[in-house]
Amino acid sequence: MTHYILALDQGTTSSRAIVFDDTGVAVASCQREFPQHFPQPGCVEHDPADIWASQLACARAALTDSGVDPARIAAIGIANQRETTLLWDRVTGEPVANAIVWQDRRTAGACDRLREAGRAAMIAELTGLELDAYFSATKLQWLLDHVPGARQRAERGELAFGTVDSYLVYRLCGRHVTDTSNAARTMLFNIHTLAWDDALLALFDIPRAVLPEVVPSSGLVGHAAAEWFGHPIPIAGIAGDQQAATFGQACHRKGMVKNTYGTGCFMLMHAGATPPVSHHRLLSTVGWTIDGRTDYLLEGSVFMGGATVQWLRDGLGIIRQSHEVEALSTSVPDSGGVMLVPAFAGLGAPHWDPYARATILGMTRGTTAAHIARAALEAIAYQSAELLTAMQKDAACAVTELRADGGAARNDLLMQFQADLLGIPVVRPRVTETTALGAAWLAGLACGVWESPAALEHQWQVDTCFEPRMAAERRAALMARWARAVAHARSWAEPED
């Protein structure tokens, strides 16, 4: 009898649900965008009600479209946008404020003060993370300090903090948990002891009573109440979206690398069973915990990937739908010398500059919307190329291929340019929604649909392999020009108290 898994993929700009069968084939899916809120420059928020409503609606629609009886769904797997910070009432489930999104920069000043106090090295040693507003700790601290009465209520145990996975599990089954991969992104979790760290809690002034229980990435955590889908369904897999995508790309062995081209771009290399040490400002993070074993990853993060294309659509209005960017970009042979540095929310790895701002350089009177669109696509590849260069230096190994996934991985122009810049093949799998697939695999392993990660690797299949065809000299010249452009975007915004 065929087994089915319901994967919930809650992203930054949209929620998605996919029903997979036990061969890894997507039987049905649904995706819905939800509103983004920008209350002040540098601030990005979500209404938790929008997150929940869009995710629940997608899950119900995917189940209906699949024609699968909910009683035949073996498990639910959850993947989520990471670091986004929520705080809610433990009894009513009502959020006390909007969620602060991972892209939000309001706590950059708080990070600066900690850095000036000499705390960055200690944070990196315990968490594997850069001291940056990207992560949850300073966001949670901000909520506790700025929402009236929140700190007192949190200390009394009345409030619950969580990343999006925690909130979804709470809404589905009432438990307050997170998995090791998401806990590792909070800057409150010790990746060596795999526990909330007292020194970090003291540093950020976070009461322990507000924290979720940490559970494995693959394992039963509860059952979604029958009211949601008509039948109680086990929740058996949880992972941050990029860890889930790495698992779904079958990067289960040391040295394998994937890049997800989503709202941001996230490149991760399997680093084995011990936390890696980066000398090039990459992150050391938990990949997943399965059957008592924790695998670690080396990660580089780009804040603006597909979100740059959304800016072309929503901010400039030069395309009506995101998929139109490829046709517009291919209408010109190249970017005409235009460079776009999409530092709308600062720059991530390897620069970690929260004060960088988006910049367009090299325009002339001959510059058209097509040149800007092409420069926007190419910027995604330039940023990712920087990550792989740093990653190979840290790992001291040559990467032979890059596995690509995410919405923008369907863009052939982008994938070919990426291969050209890297000088290695970029491989796109048949299933590009590997985030959802990874969540499904983690859930299926826990409930016996699959016996082991090794049993899953044959399900990963190649769709297209983009071979590099750019001369090394041209590649080097383009990367040098990109470095010049980035230098112009650095340290543009003034630090605010």
Side-chain angles (χ1 to χ4, degrees), residues 4 18 94 169 201 206 218 381 392 475 479:
Y4 298 93
I18 302 178
E94 287 299 312
V169 171
L201 296 179
I206 304 299
S218 180
Q392 291 188 100
R475 183 185 310 130
M479 290 305 299

Side-chain angles (χ1 to χ4, degrees), residues 47-109:
D47 184 339
D50 291 333
I51 293 175
W52 168 244
S54 61
Q55 187 62 81
L56 180 62
C58 285
R60 286 172 165 169
L63 277 173
T64 298
D65 291 347
S66 72
V68 176
D69 186 333
R72 294 189 61 199
I73 300 295
I76 293 172
I78 297 173
N80 57 282
Q81 54 166 313
R82 304 173 302 171
E83 299 95 17
T84 294
T85 301
L86 297 92
L87 192 63
W88 67 89
D89 185 292
R90 283 187 180 274
V91 175
T92 67
E94 287 299 312
V96 302
N98 274 352
I100 301 181
V101 180
W102 58 272
Q103 296 167 319
D104 190 284
R105 310 307 297 169
R106 75 184 68 184
T107 60

Side-chain angles (χ1 to χ4, degrees), residues 126 373-374 396:
L126 296 175
R374 185 155 186 145

Side-chain angles (χ1 to χ4, degrees), residues 325-337:
V325 70
E326 184 169 11
L328 181 59
S329 298
T330 54
S331 69
V332 291
D334 52 47
S335 69

Side-chain angles (χ1 to χ4, degrees), residues 2 14 76 99 247 256 259 265 273 283 303 334 373 377 388 403 443:
T2 302
S14 68
I76 293 172
F247 197 76
M256 299 181 73
N259 196 26
C265 290
L283 308 179
F303 295 156
D334 52 47
L377 274 187
L388 190 64
R403 296 186 173 187

Side-chain angles (χ1 to χ4, degrees), residues 80-86 100-105 107 111 129-144 161-166 178 181-189 196 204 206 210-212:
N80 57 282
Q81 54 166 313
R82 304 173 302 171
E83 299 95 17
T84 294
T85 301
L86 297 92
I100 301 181
V101 180
W102 58 272
Q103 296 167 319
D104 190 284
R105 310 307 297 169
T107 60
C111 293
L129 307 177
E130 284 280 328
L131 173 53
D132 192 82
Y134 173 29
F135 305 105
S136 308
T138 56
K139 302 179 192 299
L140 174 57
Q141 185 180 38
W142 190 96
L143 285 172
L144 293 174
F161 150 72
T163 42
V164 170
D165 60 305
S166 294
T178 190
S181 74
N182 278 294
R185 311 299 296 192
T186 62
M187 217 155 61
L188 299 170
F189 188 74
W196 301 117
F204 293 102
I206 304 299
V210 82
L211 300 173

Side-chain angles (χ1 to χ4, degrees), residues 386-456:
E386 286 185 305
L387 295 182
L388 190 64
T389 297
M391 195 166 281
Q392 291 188 100
K393 290 177 180 177
D394 272 339
C397 68
V399 176
T400 58
E401 70 174 23
L402 177 69
R403 296 186 173 187
D405 58 76
R410 301 187 189 99
N411 188 306
D412 288 356
L413 175 64
L414 172 59
M415 293 296 97
Q416 183 59 56
F417 189 67
Q418 187 72 86
D420 289 341
L421 282 184
L422 297 178
I424 59 173
V426 172
V427 182
R428 181 172 63 202
R430 289 186 182 178
V431 178
T432 56
E433 299 302 342
T434 53
T435 300
L437 180 61
W441 280 357
L442 288 167
L445 284 170
C447 64
V449 174
W450 299 289
E451 293 182 359
S452 67
L456 298 166

